[in-house]
Amino acid sequence: MQRRDPAGCKDAGMTLPALPEESFQRVLCVVAHPDDMEYGSSAAVARWTARGIEVGYLLLTRGEAGMPNPPAETAQLRLAEQQAACDVVGVTHLTVLEHPDGVLVYGLDLRRDICREIRRFKPDVVLGVGYDVETPFGFDQADHRAAGLATLDAIRDAGNRWVFPEQIDDEQLEPHSPRWYLVPGLGGNATHGVDVTGEPLRKGVASLEAHAAYLAALPWHPAPAEFIPMFARMSGKAMGVEHAVLFRAHDLQAPPAFPTDDADDTDDTEDTGD
């Protein structure tokens, strides 16, 4: 997808703009595990649902490999905690697939399932996860990378009537092309932000606290009320607000950005991924 990022505000000293959420009607968030949305992004979700935007979560696994308990017991526990987290931020549409946790495989099966949910939910925004091996916080987990890349490809798949045509012919779904693709902004690559000061941030913290049993199995894990506001405060500086969640936003309906003779070689506001 070769498109121009919808903001040129990454230069030092410039304030990141807010996402054009006034145009959002439905947002589909695609993640690998229960709790993945709760590490910051759920605060933005709380703001959106409070403004009447419909948000759906698609979990690709049940998180059964994430605790020392037997997998079936863990899956049941983590899904109950995820439902509680959804309730906190106003998400009423939760779909959970049963791809194996810990060994999620990028491929046609995963793309097909994500494509189906895009065609079913018809979002104008898809929020995915990054697919880079290395992040500012270390090497990313394998399931996250598989989920991120499959989501990116499924967005294109969903709009093509001849990709997974059985969903259209047999399941009575229709092709659908979201307008926006969002991933969390990390390492200075964010283009937009969401002001989550106040109630959205409080709900974001509470949504992670809803994963109480999971967090209790991680004795090294910091308290959500300590680190979620800390990172939101750091992100807020990029927007000029108290607390924010940052994203890298791609407008998938923007004209392709072709280089020009007088293009500045240092300009990095174009998305060159294809």
Side-chain angles (χ1 to χ4, degrees), residues 50-237:
R51 291 172 171 249
I53 298 169
E54 186 177 4
V55 180
Y57 284 4
L58 174 63
L59 275 57
L60 304 179
T61 80
R62 298 174 299 158
E64 69 273 9
M67 295 174 65
N69 310 51
E73 177 185 328
T74 295
Q76 184 176 7
L77 176 62
R78 297 198 70 189
L79 292 185
E81 291 189 335
Q82 181 62 69
Q83 185 60 67
C86 287
D87 292 343
V88 170
V89 296
V91 171
T92 59
H93 184 95
L94 172 63
T95 301
V96 182
L97 305 182
E98 296 188 4
H99 290 272
D101 182 23
V103 289
L104 191 63
V105 176
Y106 170 85
L108 291 179
D109 287 345
L110 193 59
R111 282 170 52 186
R112 181 183 293 108
D113 286 345
I114 299 171
C115 174
R116 177 182 290 109
E117 189 65 12
I118 292 173
R119 288 171 170 172
R120 179 183 296 153
F121 191 65
K122 293 180 168 51
D124 48 335
V125 182
V126 172
L127 194 165
V129 295
Y131 44 84
D132 292 336
V133 173
E134 193 167 4
T135 76
F137 305 105
F139 296 116
D140 204 358
Q141 198 260 0
D143 286 357
H144 297 165
R145 303 197 308 268
L149 187 57
T151 300
L152 174 62
D153 290 341
I155 291 171
R156 177 176 283 166
D157 297 337
N160 190 330
R161 188 258 181 272
W162 303 112
V163 176
F164 308 129
E166 71 281 358
Q167 296 178 356
I168 295 167
D169 297 334
D170 302 333
E171 301 177 35
Q172 288 72 55
L173 299 176
E174 297 178 355
H176 181 76
S177 296
R179 169 71 184 268
W180 296 95
Y181 169 54
L182 310 180
V183 293
L186 296 172
N189 67 353
T191 63
H192 291 74
V194 176
D195 184 352
V196 297
T197 304
E199 188 66 11
L201 180 61
R202 287 190 288 273
K203 288 185 175 181
V205 170
S207 71
L208 182 55
E209 291 174 338
H211 295 274
Y214 174 69
L215 296 179
L218 306 173
W220 51 265
H221 198 287
E226 295 177 359
F227 79 94
I228 294 291
M230 179 185 69
F231 283 112
R233 189 178 305 111
M234 293 168 58
S235 296
K237 295 177 181 178

